[in-house]
Amino acid sequence: MNVHNLDCIFKPERIALVGVSTNPNSVGGKVLTNLVGSGFRGVVYPVNPRHEAVMAMSCFPDLESLPRRPDLAVICTPAAEVAGLVGACGAAGIPGIIIMSSGFREIGAEGRRREDEILAQRARFPQMRIIGPNCLGVIVPELKLNVSFAPHTPRKGHIAFISQSGALGTSVLDWAQEENIGFSAFVSIGNTIDVDYGHLIDYFGDDENTRSILLYIESLADPRKFMTASRSFARSKPIIVYKAGRFPESAAVAASHTGALAAEDDVYNAAFRRSGLARVFDIGEIFDCAELIARNKVPKGSRLAIVTNAGGPGVMATDALMAANGRLARLSEQTVADLDEQLPPQWSRGNPVDVLGDARSKRLARAVRIVAADKGVDAVLVILTPQAMTNPTRAAAAIAEIQQEIRKPILASWLGGHLMRDGVDLLNESGIPTYKTPEQAVRAFMTLVEYARNLETLYETPRDIPVEFSLDRKKIKQEFRQGLRPEERVLSEVQSKQLLSSYGIPVTLPVFAADEADALEAARTIGYPVVFKIHSPDITHKSDVGGVVLDIRDERQAADAYHAIMRSARERQPGAHIEGVTVQQMALMADARELILGIKKDAVFGTVILVGAGGVTAELFADRSLGFPPLNERLARRMLEDLRIWPLLRGYRGKSPVNLDRLIEAMIRLSYLAADSPEILELDINPLLAGPEGILAVDARMVVDPSVTVNPSEPYAHLALRPYPEEYVSEMMEMDGLQVRFRPIRPEDEPMWMEMLASCSRESIYSRFRYFFQWASHEVATRYCYIDYHREIAIVAETTNEKGEKRLIGVGRLIADPEHETVEYAILIIDEFQNRDLGGLLTDYCIDIARKWGLKKVVAQTTADNHRMLALFKKRGFAIHTDSRTSTVDVEKTL
Ligand code: ADP
Ligand code: MG
C-alpha cells in the first residue's frame, strides 16, 4: 500500500460526520463539538437523515447530497449500520474512513461477522483506508484536527502516539497535557481491520513533523509488517513501545520445556529488540525516554556514573543499577585525580561520586563535568538532596549548561518536594529528564541502554544459505519429512537427535534396546561408561519416573540399571506403554554447564529459537532469551549476552569459559534447522552440555505437526523475518573489462546506493521515479535498501575493480501487489552504463525472479521519448500502451 493514501485521514480538508446525533453527550455529539471547537480550518458536513440540524449546524440527509466530496468520513452510527455506510462512502469516492462505533469483534461472533461485512465492502474500493472500528479517533494538533471524544486537543509536538486502547490513550494524553508534552498526532487504532501499526509506522516514519513514534500495543495482527516497518524506521526515528499484558494469567500447557518457557510476552520482547525498538514498562517512563532518544542522547554503553551530594541515594541508585544488570562506570585515574583537586579530601574517591552535603552548586557542576568527560562513562545520573548549602535551582541551571555541551545523556533526580520544584522545571525545559526516585532514573537509563543495543543488531539479515555450512539442507529436509508419520506428534530422543546430528549438532546418539540382553549388547558396542534411559512414548520427563541411570560402568551395573528403570517406571507411571530403554554414551565433560536450546513455533511471530539455563531447574530460574531464525554470529551472541548466566559462560571465578564458538555455531545450525522445518512445533535440547572443549546435546525431544504443508514459493512463511535470499546472488560476470555481479540489495548498501544515485543525471532519475525524486536522505534510502524480500526485491548490479572497491551501477526493483499476482518493475542504470547490455541483462534477471515467485504479470512504466527502455521492453515481448495525452507508456507482459 502506498502510505500516502493515509493523508486523507491525517490531512483532510473536508470531513463528513456520519451518525452525528443531537445529543451533545453522545459519541457523535462529542466528536462534532471537538471538531468544531478546536479550530479546524477545513469543512465539516454533519450527515443524519433524521434531523434538520445538530447543534445549530444544518445536516445533510446522506452522502450523495454533500456539496463536495469529503476526504474523510467519520462514522459513529450503531454497529449494524456501519458496513452499509462504508459501501456508501466507497460509492461516493470518499477515500478515508474512521469507524468510531463499537459493537464489533470485542463483543464476540456477531461483531466479527459485522467486521467481515465491512471488509467485504472495503474490498470493492481498493483505494479506501479504514481506521477502527471501535476506536477513539484521530487528533492532529498542528491542524487543530480533533476527530475524537477526548476531552481536549493535546499540544503540538513531535511525538506520534499510536494506541490500541482508547481509554489508556486518553489518560496518557491527559497526563501529557500536565507534563507539557506535545504530539504530532494521536491515533487510536481500535480493532485494526485495515490500517494497522505497520502502515502507521510507515506513514509517521515519513512524516516530517514526527520525530519519534510511541506505540501502545495489546496485540499485533500482522507482526511481519510490523517488524519490517519498525526496522526500516527505527534507526532514523526512535520507536518506543509500551505493551500491555506482560503476565498472562494462564501459561499454556506445553509438552516441552521450551514450550513452557517461551511465553508470549517474551516473544514480543524479542521482536521489539530485533526491530530496534525501546520498550518501557511504565507509562511514566514513555515520555522520559521519548525526550532523550529524540534528542539523540542515547548512551553508547551501559556504564553509568552517579554524582550525588548524599551517600544514601547513591547507594540506592547503585543497587537498582545492579539489579537491572547495569554497570557502574569505573572512573579513570585521571578522573579521580581531577576530582581530588576539586573536591574536599573526604569525597568518596570512586563511583558513585559523593561531593558531600556541604557542596555548593559549582562544586557539583565541576564534578559532573569531569565525570562526564571520562571515556569510561556512558551517562551521568545526578542526584540532589536538599542540603542547607545547595541551591537546587542554581544546581539545575549549572547541569543544564553542561548538557548543552556534551552528547552523553545526563539524567537527574532532585529528591524532595517544593524546594526542588523550580530546579526540576528548569531541568525539564532544558531537555534533561528528571525522576522522582533514583530507581526510576536507573530504569529509564537501562531502557536507553537496551534501545542502543537493539539498534546495533537492527540491520543484521542472516543469509538464507550460509556458505560455511556444507549441509545438504534440501536432502535432509526431504528425508525428515518423509520419515514423519501422520499419527506421530511427539518424536523420541532417538529421532530428535538424528535430525540434530544431520544438521551438524553434536549429540550422544542413543541406541534402542527392547530388552535386557539388547541393552547389555548395546552398552558393550558403545563402550562403558553409558547411560540408560526409559523409552516410552508416554513418558516425556524421563528422570521424573526414575527413568535415567547415568554413568553405568560395567555389565553388572548395567543389568541392575535396566531392572531399576523398569521397576521404577512401572511403579510411578503404571499406565505407560514401555518399549524398552535407550543406551548412549555417558558424556564426560569437565566443567560443563547445562543449557537449554530449543525451537518453538509461536502463534503470532512464527518460529523462534530459545537459549537459556538448562537442566532440571530450567523452569525454576526461567533465564532465557529468544531470537528469530535464521541467526548469524552476532545475533546468536547477543542472545547469550542477554542471559543472566552469561558471566558463567564467559568464565567465572576460576571456572574456564565454555567454548563460545562451538555454542554459537550450534545455535546457528539449530536456527537453520528451524528455518527449514515449519512442521516443528517444539524442539527441546535439555540439557545441552557446554564446556571448554565444546558442546554436546545429551537429551532432545521434539513435537511436530506432520500435516503442515509448505508453499514452495514461500518456504519461510513460518518466520517473522525473511532471510537474505542468497539464491538470487549471481555468479561473477565479465562486462567490458569489469567484474559484475547481480544480487539482492542489503541494508548495508545504503551508502553505495546513495553514491549511485548521486552519479545519475537528473534525466535518469526522472525516468526511473517519474518525478524529481529526493533521494539524498537516510529516511528515503532505508526505504529502498531495507526491504522484506517477500513483496519487494531489488537486484543491484555491483562491480568490483582491481583494487577490490565495490560500486553499484544499476538496480532493478520488483514490487508485487498484496495478492502476489502482478508485479511492478522499475530499473535504474547509471548514465555511463546505459549504452551497454546491462539494462537488458538486469531486466531478464528480474523477470526470472518474478517467474520463480509465481507471479502472473509484470508491468512497468516509461515515457514515450525513452527509446532505449521502449526497445528493451519490446524486445522482451511486452505489450505497449501509450497515453498520447501524458506521453506515459505502460508496458506489460504475462509470465
Ligand atoms: P529428562 O529430561 O527426560 O528427565 P534427560 O535425558 O535430560 O532426561 O536426563 C536427565 C539428566 O541426566 C540430564 O539433565 C543430564 O544432566 C543427565 N544426562 C542425560 N544424558 C546424559 C549423557 N548421555 N551423559 C551425561 N549426562 C546425561
Ligand atoms: Mg532433559
Side-chain angles (χ1 to χ4, degrees), residues 486-503:
E487 70 286 356
E488 216 168 23
R489 294 178 59 87
V490 181
L491 302 193
S492 69
E493 184 179 337
V494 183
Q495 289 164 296
S496 310
K497 280 182 172 173
Q498 263 157 359
L499 182 63
L500 291 172
S501 168
S502 64
Y503 271 80

Side-chain angles (χ1 to χ4, degrees), residues 519-788:
L520 296 183
E521 171 66 30
R524 236 190 329 272
T525 321
I526 291 167
Y528 292 100
V530 294
V531 175
F532 282 4
K533 298 183 189 177
I534 186 86
H535 189 74
S536 158
D538 303 323
I539 298 174
T540 13
H541 299 294
K542 300 178 287 290
S543 20
D544 289 359
V545 299
V548 178
V549 178
L550 302 176
D551 205 15
I552 301 168
R553 287 166 183 272
D554 54 38
E555 206 135 296
R556 201 180 44 83
Q557 286 184 6
D560 289 351
Y562 184 86
H563 294 294
I565 287 177
M566 289 300 152
R567 203 179 321 116
S568 164
R570 287 210 183 93
E571 221 166 76
R572 295 207 224 167
Q573 201 164 324
H577 171 64
I578 294 168
E579 293 173 352
V581 296
T582 62
V583 185
Q584 62 190 277
Q585 162 214 342
M586 170 76 196
L588 298 168
M589 208 190 262
D591 257 359
R593 270 130 272 186
E594 293 199 335
L595 302 182
I596 180 169
L597 180 60
I599 298 174
K600 149 115 181 140
K601 202 167 177 184
D602 178 77
V604 179
F605 288 95
T607 297
V608 294
I609 300 287
L610 174 144
V611 69
V616 269
T617 51
E619 269 127 351
L620 190 60
F621 294 116
D623 180 19
R624 69 257 164 157
S625 58
L626 300 181
F628 294 91
L631 298 172
N632 60 18
E633 195 181 327
R634 261 182 81 157
L635 294 168
R637 198 182 167 87
R638 168 83 205 264
M639 285 173 70
L640 295 173
E641 285 170 359
D642 285 339
L643 292 174
R644 265 176 284 151
I645 52 159
W646 170 239
L648 289 177
L649 300 177
R650 253 186 346 184
Y652 186 72
R653 302 234 163 137
K655 247 193 168 187
S656 36
V658 310
N659 188 326
L660 284 176
D661 288 346
R662 287 280 92 78
L663 176 56
I664 287 172
E665 183 188 330
M667 290 169 71
I668 298 175
R669 286 179 182 274
L670 188 79
S671 79
Y672 280 94
L673 166 61
D676 287 346
S677 322
E679 51 281 278
I680 297 182
L681 302 181
E682 283 170 30
L683 187 154
D684 198 29
I685 306 176
N686 185 21
L688 176 82
L689 299 183
E693 305 296 319
I695 55 124
L696 191 56
V698 297
D699 183 23
R701 172 184 305 121
M702 189 153 74
V703 184
V704 295
D705 178 359
S707 69
V708 168
T709 52
V710 190
N711 175 355
S713 72
E714 253 268 66
Y716 298 117
H718 64 301
L719 304 185
L721 294 170
R722 224 166 249 93
Y724 180 75
E726 195 85 13
E727 72 264 34
Y728 298 135
V729 179
S730 79
E731 297 292 312
M732 275 294 183
M733 294 168 282
E734 174 84 24
M735 196 189 287
D736 299 340
L738 275 173
Q739 293 286 312
V740 182
R741 186 201 284 285
F742 293 157
R743 60 165 177 81
I745 203 164
R746 293 200 174 96
E748 309 83 281
D749 289 331
E750 189 183 315
M752 284 207 288
W753 184 86
M754 285 214 184
E755 268 168 42
M756 176 182 67
L757 278 127
S759 68
C760 286
S761 64
R762 264 170 82 83
E763 291 69 40
S764 298
I765 301 250
Y766 185 82
S767 88
R768 157 67 178 88
F769 295 98
R770 318 286 301 114
Y771 62 100
F772 291 105
F773 179 59
Q774 299 296 322
W775 47 269
S777 80
H778 166 72
E779 271 92 342
V780 175
T782 29
R783 304 280 298 122
Y784 283 84
C785 299
Y786 200 154
I787 51 179
D788 66 1

Side-chain angles (χ1 to χ4, degrees), residues 416-435:
H418 69 276
L419 272 180
M420 296 295 181
R421 194 149 307 144
D422 288 346
V424 168
D425 286 348
L426 205 150
L427 287 166
N428 284 336
E429 277 157 31
S430 335
I432 297 177
T434 56
Y435 303 87

